[in-house]
Amino acid sequence: MSGWHIPDDLRERYLEGALEPALAMSVDAHLGRCADCRAAVPYDQDWLDESWARLETELITPRLSLAERLLRHGGVPDHLARLLSATPTMSRSWLAAVVAVLAFAVLAARAQADYLPAFLIVAPVLPLAGIALAYGARVDPAHELVAATPMSGPRLLLTRATAVLAVSAALAGLASPLLPAPPGLAAAWLLPALAAASGCLALSNRLPVPMAALSMGGVWLAIVGAGRLIGSWLAVFGPAPQIGYGVAAVLLTYRFYRVSAR
Ligand SMILES: [Zn+2]
């Protein structure tokens, strides 16, 4: 840089806005790196402060969604609350769909006890569908951004999958007491749901998340179908299979951790 500085007459014309664009831009550029010339430009401190404050209100302090405020209120760290509330699956339409499916299953079971298995079969599939929808370029408007952050990959998937599972499990848990069945049977979907979700996570180390979710949904329906073949729909919800789901959930989650920690 030479010792050139903006001459007075040039500055005057710049401040009047009388310079042609190319010249104005080079004055801008010089002002950006020369404190002496900046000091010579008069400015109104109040106007500047007010402008900054307005910018801060508009850009730096975004309005929080209801979900995000609830999460923060519940002690969830700010960055996690933002991430979770930006999960597409947490949208109102997804929640409405889950509630509708559960309500339909409950009503069917109350109308006719034969339909009880429908609820138990469908409840473990809901978190899978949620996980599939919560992840991927096609559904997540923030995918590009998120993919570039340290939270991308397995950690993000686990965070979102856990959130999806927690929300669907809470909704199914609320609906369970409405089923015309003893509490033990009405809650029999929980361990299969956990096992299916952790199976989806473990598979996601090899397959795209939606494929992993679809595969686990298929495995679950195959298990249910096999139960139907050997006896009744309810056979797969007995005590021995439940132990199996519990063990599978623990092992598959452990495997997901091991593989993604590599
Ligand atoms: Zn200068």
Side-chain angles (χ1 to χ4, degrees), residues 2-7 30-31 33-38:
S2 65
W4 186 85
H5 289 292
I6 300 170
H30 180 81
L31 284 173
R33 51 173 194 260
C34 178
D36 290 343
C37 287
R38 268 204 308 278

Side-chain angles (χ1 to χ4, degrees), residues 19-105:
L19 290 184
E20 56 195 85
L23 203 50
M25 275 160 79
S26 45
V27 172
D28 270 341
H30 180 81
L31 284 173
R33 51 173 194 260
C34 178
D36 290 343
C37 287
R38 268 204 308 278
V41 175
Y43 66 94
D44 179 348
Q45 185 64 47
D46 289 343
W47 177 85
L48 206 60
D49 288 346
E50 198 188 312
S51 301
W52 274 117
R54 238 191 351 255
L55 263 180
E56 244 167 79
T57 327
E58 292 293 326
L59 299 176
I60 304 171
T61 323
R63 259 161 267 137
L64 301 184
S65 68
L66 177 65
E68 192 171 345
R69 266 179 288 155
L70 283 176
L71 286 169
R72 289 190 182 196
H73 197 69
V76 176
D78 291 1
H79 68 282
L80 212 56
R82 168 66 45 86
L83 191 72
L84 288 178
S85 58
T87 303
T89 308
M90 293 302 166
S91 70
R92 244 170 273 165
S93 50
W94 160 254
L95 291 178
V98 171
V99 169
V101 169
L102 291 174
F104 185 75

Side-chain angles (χ1 to χ4, degrees), residues 166-200:
V167 169
S168 358
L171 289 172
L174 284 174
S176 294
L178 304 173
L179 287 174
L185 186 55
W189 52 269
L190 184 58
L191 284 173
L194 287 175
S198 42
C200 171

